[in-house]
Amino acid sequence: MTYNWKTWDAGCGVPNGMSYNVVAPSEGMWACLVPTGWNWTASRSSNLCSANAGFPTTEYRLTKAG
């Protein structure tokens, strides 16, 4: 599994935590984390993978390994 966005969520921790949109990886999908058994073919700066829009992180375009 991987995730394709995350955000602060007051319901996920004390006092605040993170909420992740967890999804099954697929060919060509942009994701915030490269799961085991997958590689990446491209990367880009993204605010979707960071809870703080002022500090973008990296998103990866997935491809099945091997």
Side-chain angles (χ1 to χ4, degrees):
M1 300 300 283
T2 187
Y3 63 97
N4 57 7
W5 61 260
K6 72 178 180 180
T7 189
W8 288 110
D9 187 336
C12 290
V14 180
N16 291 318
M18 297 300 298
S19 178
Y20 296 82
N21 187 55
V22 177
V23 294
S26 61
E27 191 71 32
M29 171 188 187
W30 286 97
C32 302
L33 177 72
V34 180
T36 300
W38 291 80
N39 290 325
W40 54 277
T41 59
S43 65
R44 65 185 180 189
S45 180
S46 173
N47 287 332
L48 294 175
C49 298
S50 173
N52 186 339
F55 297 97
T57 57
T58 304
E59 224 179 339
Y60 303 93
R61 189 171 181 96
L62 302 180
T63 188
K64 187 72 174 153

